[in-house]
């Protein structure tokens, strides 16, 4: 069993990540922490194999406690953050963070990262290695952190390429359209974030919105690929 800890100040996002972890065979979520102080205290008595770490914790930046965590604990760290700041990315990379996921993190992207780690651990030999085996081990690393970030060409503030592609793909595959709540759950983000991407895609005429009338109450707004 691979034990996972979550450091995330938004309890809704933390719970989404916790539910996803519990659904993946071989994984278990041991704790969620909302502050850096709580995280450091919890890890002293509740060890985990993997830590999902947000950067913008309310009392301290996640990147500022990376060294302290890695010096005191045998743990692998996956950053999940709204920050795409080059300094944060490079600091995480230099510290040995194994993956860096921009919020809103799609469940699929997070699941892929965890399963890659699981496969890497399962294949880890318990002996001294040859150079060929070392090369193969490092080439299969789960790390996908770039040293440099690519600019988001012609996209408005708050819209990033990766998430935009995820939103487009999800709408494309949804035969009966997608609501803001459904998209927020898919992305592991808020309804506000989902609406921001819908608004952008409506402005570019890539999607359309239709009111779907139920039996009672106000019509439900669903978004469809044009």
């Amino acid at each position: 069993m691979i034990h996972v800890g979550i450091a995330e100040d938004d309890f809704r996002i933390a719970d989404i990540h916790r539910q996803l972890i519990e659904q993946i065979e071989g994984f278990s979520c041991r704790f969620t922490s909302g502050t850096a102080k709580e995280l450091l205290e919890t890890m002293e008595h509740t060890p985990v194999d993997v830590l999902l770490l947000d950067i913008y914790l309310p009392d301290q930046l996640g990147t500022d406690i990376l060294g302290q965590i890695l010096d005191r604990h045998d743990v692998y760290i996956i950053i999940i953050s709204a920050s795409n700041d080059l300094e944060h990315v490079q600091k995480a990379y230099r510290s040995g963070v194994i993956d860096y996921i921009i919020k809103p993190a799609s469940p699929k992207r997070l699941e892929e990262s965890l399963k890659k780690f699981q496969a890497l651990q399962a294949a880890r030999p318990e002996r001294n290695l040859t150079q060929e085996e070392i090369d193969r081990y490092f080439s299969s690393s789960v790390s996908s952190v770039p040293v440099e970030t690519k600019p988001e060409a012609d996209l408005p503030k708050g819209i990033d390429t990766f998430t935009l592609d995820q939103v487009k793909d999800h709408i494309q595959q949804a035969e009966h359209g997608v609501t803001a709540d459904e998209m927020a759950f898919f992305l592991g983000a808020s309804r506000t974030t989902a609406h921001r991407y819908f608004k952008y895609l409506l402005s570019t005429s890539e999607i359309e919105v239709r009111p779907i009338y139920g039996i009672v109450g106000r019509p439900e707004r669903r978004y469809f690929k044009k």
Side-chain angles (χ1 to χ4, degrees):
M1 182 67 68
I2 295 175
H3 299 294
V4 183
I6 299 172
E8 167 61 62
D9 66 320
D10 188 324
F11 71 92
R12 295 164 300 181
I13 294 176
D15 192 55
I16 289 171
H17 291 166
R18 180 191 60 78
Q19 291 181 50
L20 174 64
I21 290 165
E22 297 290 353
Q23 290 171 5
I24 305 174
E25 184 177 357
F27 284 85
S28 173
C29 181
R30 298 202 71 183
F31 67 78
T32 62
S33 297
T35 66
K37 182 177 184 293
E38 181 185 3
L39 169 65
L40 295 173
E41 291 175 350
T42 301
M43 291 192 71
E44 289 299 319
H45 56 76
T46 310
V48 291
D49 303 299
V50 181
L51 174 65
L52 307 186
L53 177 64
D54 188 14
I55 288 180
Y56 294 124
L57 296 173
D59 54 340
Q60 204 168 357
L61 289 177
T63 46
D64 289 344
I65 59 173
L66 281 173
Q68 186 175 349
I69 293 172
L70 294 170
D71 285 345
R72 296 178 65 88
H73 305 283
D74 182 16
V75 63
Y76 292 86
I77 297 177
I78 297 173
I79 295 286
I80 302 181
S81 175
S83 173
N84 60 357
D85 184 276
L86 180 58
E87 182 180 350
H88 289 160
V89 176
Q90 289 179 323
K91 187 170 185 178
Y93 186 78
R94 289 193 297 265
S95 299
V97 167
I98 63 170
D99 204 355
Y100 194 117
I101 303 174
I102 297 291
K103 286 183 179 179
S106 76
K108 180 180 178 182
R109 176 68 174 82
L110 177 55
E111 183 176 0
E112 286 175 352
S113 185
L114 291 171
K115 285 187 173 180
K116 284 181 182 178
F117 172 81
Q118 185 181 44
L120 188 62
Q121 292 300 99
R124 184 176 62 181
E126 300 293 336
R127 56 180 173 79
N128 294 334
L129 305 177
T130 65
Q131 182 64 60
E132 181 181 354
E133 289 170 326
I134 291 173
D135 291 343
R136 185 163 60 249
Y137 186 83
F138 273 85
S139 68
S140 61
S141 168
V142 299
S143 177
S144 60
V145 178
V147 177
E148 297 183 359
T149 55
K150 295 182 179 179
E152 304 291 346
D154 302 324
L155 291 179
K157 184 178 180 180
I159 303 292
D160 71 83
T161 302
F162 176 78
T163 305
L164 184 60
D165 288 342
Q166 294 292 311
V167 171
K168 288 180 181 180
D169 288 344
H170 194 50
I171 296 175
Q172 176 71 45
Q173 296 170 22
E175 180 181 352
H176 301 292
V178 182
T179 67
D181 285 331
E182 291 167 349
M183 184 60 75
F185 181 81
F186 170 73
L187 295 173
S190 66
R191 292 180 78 253
T192 301
T193 298
H195 276 300
R196 181 165 66 246
Y197 282 86
F198 286 156
K199 183 178 179 180
Y200 172 74
L201 291 172
L202 286 169
S203 72
T204 59
S205 300
E206 295 178 71
I207 64 172
E208 62 182 3
V209 59
R210 305 175 197 165
I212 305 298
Y213 293 88
I215 299 175
V216 294
R218 298 175 60 185
E220 182 179 54
R221 293 169 62 87
R222 303 190 71 87
Y223 297 82
F224 295 81
K225 181 74 175 178
K226 271 194 173 181

